[in-house]
Amino acid sequence: MASEGTGVSELAARYSTALFELADENQALDTVASDLSTLKQILAESADLRRLVRSPVISRADQARAMAAVLDSAGVSDLTKRFVGLAATNRRLFAISGMIDGFLAMLAQRRGEVTASVTSAQPLSDAQRQAVIDALKASIGANVLVNTSVDPELIGGMIVKFGSRMVDTSVRTKLNKLQLAMKASGGSV
């Protein structure tokens, strides 16, 4: 199972590197990045589309046609359409999310940016988001891109992940630690 995951990662890395180099040659890095971010959002919002890209039963031609229709309606560039079409023709759509993430990571690295993932109990206001960005920038010393998500089960606080580091200030984690401490001391919760 681990080798299968590694294979997908290697496959996604090869494709994302090829797309990155092609976009760079065509001076279309920003355009392709925007297209891929749009596609990533569409994939996140559509369970049907996720099933389509993962299904080994749907023919290459049908996958290519469906993806072309989705990309046409999203208004993405010709380069991105051709790339996704190639991935469909080669039966590689199952790894499209990894390809997108790989491309965006290469672009961030080129720009000297670090991507952080921030999960909060409630949506962050613009001021809160900017405060997190400023704190991370001061801590890391690099430009920071922040991807936010909401998990109401955190109760309060947030979890910030960047690189190999994670800072968890959520109320859920604090309550879990308190519960463990109470159990360890013989108390009941």
Side-chain angles (χ1 to χ4, degrees), residues 49-73:
L49 188 58
R50 287 191 305 275
R51 278 191 293 278
L52 173 101
V53 301
R54 292 183 184 140
S55 176
V57 202
I58 300 172
S59 73
R60 297 172 193 218
D62 288 343
Q63 282 183 327
R65 275 194 298 276
M67 289 304 294
V70 167
L71 296 175
D72 281 340
S73 69

Side-chain angles (χ1 to χ4, degrees), residues 1-180:
M1 190 70 159
S3 64
E4 181 181 310
T6 303
V8 171
S9 297
E10 291 171 6
L11 173 75
R14 286 195 315 267
Y15 272 76
S16 59
T17 299
L19 178 59
F20 187 85
E21 290 172 358
L22 190 59
D24 195 21
E25 287 173 18
N26 289 292
Q27 299 176 348
L29 286 171
D30 291 333
T31 302
V32 172
S34 175
D35 293 346
L36 293 179
S37 295
T38 299
L39 178 56
K40 185 176 183 172
Q41 182 178 353
I42 293 169
L43 282 166
E45 293 172 355
S46 173
D48 289 337
L49 188 58
R50 287 191 305 275
R51 278 191 293 278
L52 173 101
V53 301
R54 292 183 184 140
S55 176
V57 202
I58 300 172
S59 73
R60 297 172 193 218
D62 288 343
Q63 282 183 327
R65 275 194 298 276
M67 289 304 294
V70 167
L71 296 175
D72 281 340
S73 69
V76 303
S77 69
D78 187 53
L79 178 60
T80 304
K81 286 180 202 174
R82 287 185 289 135
F83 173 77
V84 173
L86 176 70
T89 301
N90 291 342
R91 299 289 287 169
R92 301 296 189 243
L93 281 181
F94 66 90
I96 196 74
S97 291
M99 294 174 200
I100 292 170
D101 291 342
F103 180 94
L104 296 175
M106 282 186 267
L107 184 58
Q109 184 178 11
R110 159 107 30 112
R111 293 177 174 167
E113 298 170 337
V114 175
T115 301
S117 170
V118 177
T119 305
S120 58
Q122 298 176 352
L124 297 177
S125 69
D126 290 339
Q128 290 169 324
R129 181 181 166 89
Q130 190 58 50
V132 169
I133 291 170
D134 292 343
L136 287 171
K137 191 171 185 176
S139 173
I140 299 170
N143 290 332
V144 180
L145 296 177
V146 174
N147 294 326
T148 59
S149 59
V150 176
D151 181 0
E153 291 184 12
L154 295 181
I155 303 170
M158 65 179 60
I159 300 172
V160 180
K161 298 176 187 174
F162 57 97
S164 61
R165 297 185 224 165
M166 180 175 88
V167 178
D168 186 345
T169 63
S170 67
V171 173
R172 176 182 66 188
T173 299
K174 290 178 182 179
L175 288 173
N176 287 341
K177 286 180 182 178
L178 179 62
Q179 185 176 27
L180 287 173

